[in-house]
Amino acid sequence: MKKIPYSRQSIDASDLAAVEAALKSDFLTQGPLIEEFEREFARIHGVPHAVAVCNATAALHIAYQALGIGAGKLVWTSPNTFVATSNAALYLDATVDFVDIDPRTYNLSVDALKAKLTATRQAGGRLPDLVVPVHFGGQSCDMQGLARLAAEFGFRVVEDASHAVGAVTQGEPVGSCAHSDAAIFSFHPVKIITTGEGGLITTRNAELAAHLRRLRAHGITRDAALMTEPSHGTWYYQQLELGWNFRLTELQSALGLSQLKRLSAFRERREAKARRYDELLKDLPLKLHGLRAGENSARHLYVVRVDRARVKKDKRKIFEELHQRGVLVNLHYMPVYLQPYYASLGFKPGLCPEAEAYYAEAITLPLFVDMTDADQDQVVAALRDVLV
Ligand SMILES: *Cc1c(COP(=O)(O)O)cnc(C)c1O
C-alpha cells in the first residue's frame, strides 16, 4: 500500500540545475544569490525589504530582538502554532502568554485578543509589548482588526507567516506588512517553498531591515557611518552588538530562487487539491476549515475537524487506523502551553478552551504539490472506512 505523507517538497530538474550552478560558482555563502533571492521574494510579496536567514526560528528570534523584546517584555501569541513562535521570545528572556483561537479559522481570535487586552487593562495588569499572529494553514489572520487594537493598546506586531508564502489577504500580499512591523516565513521542506532549511523576514522599515542584517551576522557592520571611530583600514569592521550567525547559504538561496519561479504553479495545484478535498469530503462527518471572505490562503495545511456529535471513535484510534491505511495524517497543533516545558513555566490546561477543543478534533490530511488524484482518493476512501 502506498504511504502518503502529510506534506513533502517538490524538487524538479530546474531546482537541481540551480543548486548545481551555485555549487560550481565562486561563492558557497555570502555571495550574490542571497541578495537576489531576497529581492525576488520582496518583489513577489509587495514589500521593500527582505532579510533571509537560516530558518524561521532564527527569523522570529532576531525580529523580536530588533523590536526590543528582551527581559521584562511581554509577548502574546496563538497557542495553535509550532513551539518556535513562542520559544523565540523565551530565548530573549521575555515572558509569553497565549490568546485563544477562532473556532472556524483556527487563527488567533481578534475578539479574544480584544477581550484579554481590555480585561488586563481594567485589572491594571501588564499589556503586551508584541503580539504575534500566526497565519494558520496559510490563511491570514484578520490583520486590520489586529492593527486597530495595536494602535489602541500600543503593541508591535510580527506576523508568523511560516505557512503563508504567496498568500493574499484583503487584496494585499501576506508579508507586505501593511498592518505589521515585520513578517517571517519558513522554507522548511514541508512548507510552501523550500531551501532545505531557511527563513526570511519582510518589513517596510529600512532601519529595521539594516538592524536585522547586522543581527544575522554577529552584530557586525562595515558601514563607516555607524562606526564609533574612523576605519583602521580595508580589513576593518566593528561589532556593535551581540548578534548571531544566522546566514542562508548560496546553495539554499539558489534553490529558493528556483522554487520562487514555481510558486504560482505550486499555489494553483494546492488550491485545486484543497477544492477537490472540499468536494470529496462533503458527506463525511467532518467540519471543514472556514475561510474568511477576501482571503487567498496559501493552502499549506488541509485540516478537518471530526464532528464529535457523529463520530464516537477515539482520536488515537482514528489516527492509527488511517496510518494503517497508508494515510500519514498529522496534527497541527497541540496548544503550545500544554507542552511539558510550558507547564514547567506555570501554564495550565483550560487557558484557551477553543484551542483545546480544536486539538481534540483536528486532523491534518495529506496535501502537497506532487500529490496525485489517486493519492487523494486513497485518503478519502480511508477516511470513509475509518469514520463512517
Ligand atoms: C515551521 C514553523 C516555524 C519554524 O520554522 P523553521 O524554519 O523550521 O525554523 C515557526 N512557526 C510556524 C507556525 C511554523 O509552521
Side-chain angles (χ1 to χ4, degrees):
M1 184 197 318
K2 188 167 174 192
K3 285 209 190 307
I4 306 169
Y6 89 87
S7 184
R8 63 163 284 136
Q9 69 277 13
S10 172
I11 299 294
D12 73 3
S14 68
D15 297 316
L16 295 176
V19 175
E20 185 177 354
L23 266 171
K24 291 175 175 165
S25 77
D26 289 337
F27 298 97
L28 299 187
T29 191
Q30 294 173 284
L33 291 175
I34 185 166
E35 275 175 44
E36 204 182 313
F37 176 51
E38 289 172 340
R39 264 199 307 278
E40 188 56 11
F41 194 95
R43 187 187 65 75
I44 291 169
H45 292 81
V47 67
H49 309 287
V51 180
V53 291
C54 54
N55 56 61
T57 306
L60 288 162
H61 185 166
I62 60 173
Y64 296 174
Q65 187 178 359
L67 288 170
I69 297 306
K73 302 288 180 174
L74 178 58
V75 178
W76 286 6
T77 188
S78 169
N80 189 29
T81 186
F82 185 56
V83 292
T85 317
S86 52
N87 284 351
L90 300 180
Y91 298 156
L92 295 160
D93 296 321
T95 305
V96 297
D97 201 0
F98 298 90
V99 180
D100 211 350
I101 62 169
D102 177 314
R104 235 173 56 78
T105 64
Y106 321 147
N107 275 334
L108 182 145
S109 157
V110 169
D111 290 339
L113 175 62
K114 185 170 186 182
K116 191 173 169 94
L117 288 164
T118 306
T120 303
R121 179 185 270 171
Q122 274 165 3
R126 237 167 93 208
L127 289 168
D129 301 284
L130 172 69
V131 173
V132 185
V134 179
H135 303 320
F136 182 84
Q139 172 176 219
S140 177
C141 284
D142 170 8
M143 291 306 296
Q144 275 101 337
L146 206 113
R148 277 193 292 277
L149 293 175
E152 186 184 342
F153 289 87
F155 55 80
R156 315 296 286 267
V157 178
V158 172
E159 303 170 65
D160 185 339
S162 290
H163 300 180
V165 172
V168 176
T169 173
Q170 313 299 319
E172 301 259 12
V174 167
S176 68
C177 300
H179 305 288
S180 69
D181 294 286
I184 73 95
F185 295 88
S186 173
F187 309 130
H188 183 279
V190 298
K191 309 282 166 79
I192 303 290
I193 63 164
T194 191
T195 59
E197 296 275 0
L200 182 142
I201 307 137
T202 58
T203 180
R204 294 187 175 195
N205 181 333
E207 229 172 280
L208 182 66
H211 193 182
L212 291 167
R213 286 181 203 290
R214 261 201 322 276
L215 288 172
R216 166 177 78 183
H218 309 277
I220 282 172
T221 187
R222 290 178 184 277
D223 181 352
L226 297 176
M227 292 186 186
T228 56
E229 58 178 294
S231 170
H232 298 182
T234 51
W235 68 88
Y236 193 67
Y237 55 81
Q238 281 191 344
Q239 183 189 345
L240 301 176
E241 65 191 311
L242 191 59
W244 317 90
N245 179 353
F246 283 170
R247 289 188 297 260
L248 195 70
T249 67
E250 291 289 286
L251 317 186
Q252 293 171 304
S253 303
L255 181 55
L257 268 166
S258 159
Q259 292 260 301
L260 278 181
K261 292 201 182 88
R262 303 177 61 204
L263 177 59
S264 50
F266 283 178
R267 284 203 47 190
E268 276 166 36
R269 298 208 57 169
R270 285 181 173 278
E271 184 64 32
K273 281 170 217 301
R275 287 180 187 228
R276 188 163 185 270
Y277 264 141
D278 290 346
E279 208 40 49
L280 294 173
L281 297 173
K282 262 199 320 228
D283 60 333
L284 287 179
L286 297 169
K287 294 177 268 187
L288 304 186
H289 194 168
L291 298 182
R292 293 169 68 230
E295 299 299 334
N296 291 28
S297 169
R299 300 286 199 173
H300 166 52
L301 298 174
Y302 193 93
V303 174
V304 294
R305 291 179 72 158
V306 176
D307 185 349
R308 279 291 164 205
R310 293 158 72 195
V311 181
K312 297 297 173 213
K313 198 179 277 180
D314 178 62
K315 174 172 81 176
R316 191 197 305 255
K317 202 149 176 27
I318 293 172
F319 275 70
E320 280 168 8
E321 292 182 6
L322 288 169
H323 277 235
Q324 281 156 14
R325 287 163 177 77
V327 177
L328 305 184
V329 289
N330 209 309
L331 206 166
H332 301 87
Y333 295 95
M334 176 167 93
V336 169
Y337 61 81
L338 295 181
Q339 295 290 350
Y341 181 71
Y342 281 80
S344 81
L345 301 179
F347 288 99
K348 299 224 163 23
L351 178 63
C352 298
E354 292 293 356
E356 292 178 27
Y358 165 86
Y359 174 55
E361 298 176 350
I363 309 176
T364 304
L365 303 186
L367 177 66
F368 47 93
V369 168
D370 296 327
M371 188 179 192
T372 64
D373 283 358
D375 293 339
Q376 215 173 2
D377 293 340
Q378 184 180 330
V379 173
V380 175
L383 279 167
R384 194 175 297 281
D385 235 20
V386 169
L387 296 177
V388 182

